[in-house]
Amino acid sequence: MLVGTVGQGLLPTYSSGNETLGHIGFVLLIVLRFVQGLCAAGEIGTISTYLSEVAAHHMLCRGIALIAITCNLGFVSAQFVVYAITRALGDEAVEAWAWRLPFVLALIPGLIAIWGRRGIPESHMFLEQQKEEQSGASAESQEVGFEVRQVSSTRRVKAIVSAHWLNMLIGGGALASTAILQYGGFVWGQSFLAHAGLTADDTMLVGLCSRVVMLVLAMPVGWLADVVGVASVMLIGSLGFM
């Protein structure tokens, strides 16, 4: 994530006067954006699993709500940095060279995040499962070795899918539809406002206000999901988006 983000601020552009460098920068931009998106998806999936393992069952949704809070806090911080740089240096400087600053400044929180993650302990659930797998594998390792663990993991995945395929299908569809609706609200909505004549500063302000609303509502909605259930809250939220 750090390489994909900071690297975008160091790319050569067509404005350098060298068309070859411009082409190289364009290709690298696509590659870095792909890396950035891949890392973001991996991090969200990993932290979701970790929080579900360490959070108490009665406040599981409030624990997961921390993801929404930190993600939107990151978006708000990034928009604030872009707004501050634009106000301080002006549109011409931003278009010429200052557009690189937000990407390069991402190095600071990125390094802090890497340092912090080095001290995060593994969850008790993961450690217990690891012990079980190691003890089960060691009993038969002399005969079949690594294949025991591989077959065991494959059987476990097949058993889970076979027993809960309908729940997984409904959950995946619900998340996909919510993501599409959220994209329409935050991305397409701002593009629509920009094409309708709203200034860039006002468009950014609209996005900033939307993120702040999500920050404020994340924990109360997580509490509500802990009380009445995730399915009901997701249904209400999807209807609200529509």
Side-chain angles (χ1 to χ4, degrees):
M1 174 66 82
L2 192 61
V3 172
T5 302
V6 177
Q8 294 179 55
L10 305 176
L11 294 176
T13 63
Y14 290 103
S15 61
S16 63
N18 190 317
E19 188 174 356
T20 301
L21 288 178
H23 290 322
I24 294 174
F26 178 72
V27 173
L28 289 177
L29 175 62
I30 296 175
V31 173
L32 291 175
R33 289 290 291 175
F34 176 79
V35 171
Q36 189 181 36
L38 186 65
C39 293
E43 288 186 353
I44 291 176
T46 303
I47 194 61
S48 299
T49 304
Y50 183 79
L51 287 174
S52 66
E53 291 179 352
V54 300
H57 183 73
H58 67 279
M59 55 184 303
L60 179 61
C61 294
R62 276 168 283 183
I64 300 298
L66 293 173
I67 300 175
I69 292 175
T70 52
C71 285
N72 284 287
L73 186 61
F75 279 112
V76 170
S77 301
Q79 288 179 322
F80 174 78
V81 170
V82 172
Y83 180 80
I85 291 175
T86 303
R87 284 295 185 183
L89 302 177
D91 293 335
E92 293 184 1
V94 170
E95 293 179 2
W97 61 272
W99 61 269
R100 300 178 182 272
L101 293 179
F103 295 100
V104 177
L105 290 174
L107 184 65
I108 299 173
L111 292 176
I112 294 175
I114 292 175
W115 171 77
R117 290 174 187 177
R118 291 173 61 86
I120 296 179
E122 295 290 355
S123 67
H124 178 73
M125 183 181 299
F126 174 79
L127 294 176
E128 289 295 328
Q129 181 179 353
Q130 198 173 41
K131 287 181 180 179
E132 292 178 2
E133 291 180 352
Q134 290 176 352
S135 60
S138 61
E140 305 179 21
S141 59
Q142 296 179 353
E143 299 180 3
V144 291
F146 174 73
E147 293 183 1
V148 173
R149 296 190 296 272
Q150 189 175 20
V151 172
S152 178
S153 299
T154 303
R155 288 177 179 175
R156 185 182 298 111
V157 172
K158 288 182 178 179
I160 293 173
V161 173
S162 177
H164 305 286
W165 66 270
L166 182 58
N167 293 336
M168 295 173 66
L169 183 63
I170 295 174
L175 289 175
S177 61
T178 302
I180 293 171
L181 291 170
Q182 188 176 25
Y183 173 85
F186 284 103
V187 180
W188 180 85
Q190 292 190 44
S191 299
F192 173 79
L193 292 175
H195 286 298
L198 202 66
T199 64
D201 288 344
D202 290 338
T203 303
M204 186 180 298
L205 182 61
V206 170
L208 183 63
C209 292
S210 301
R211 296 292 178 181
V212 170
V213 171
M214 290 189 67
L215 273 171
V216 173
L217 293 180
M219 193 57 67
V221 171
W223 169 83
L224 186 63
D226 283 326
V227 174
V228 303
V230 177
S232 299
V233 173
M234 290 191 68
L235 177 61
I236 296 172
S238 298
L239 293 175
F241 266 122
M242 297 175 63

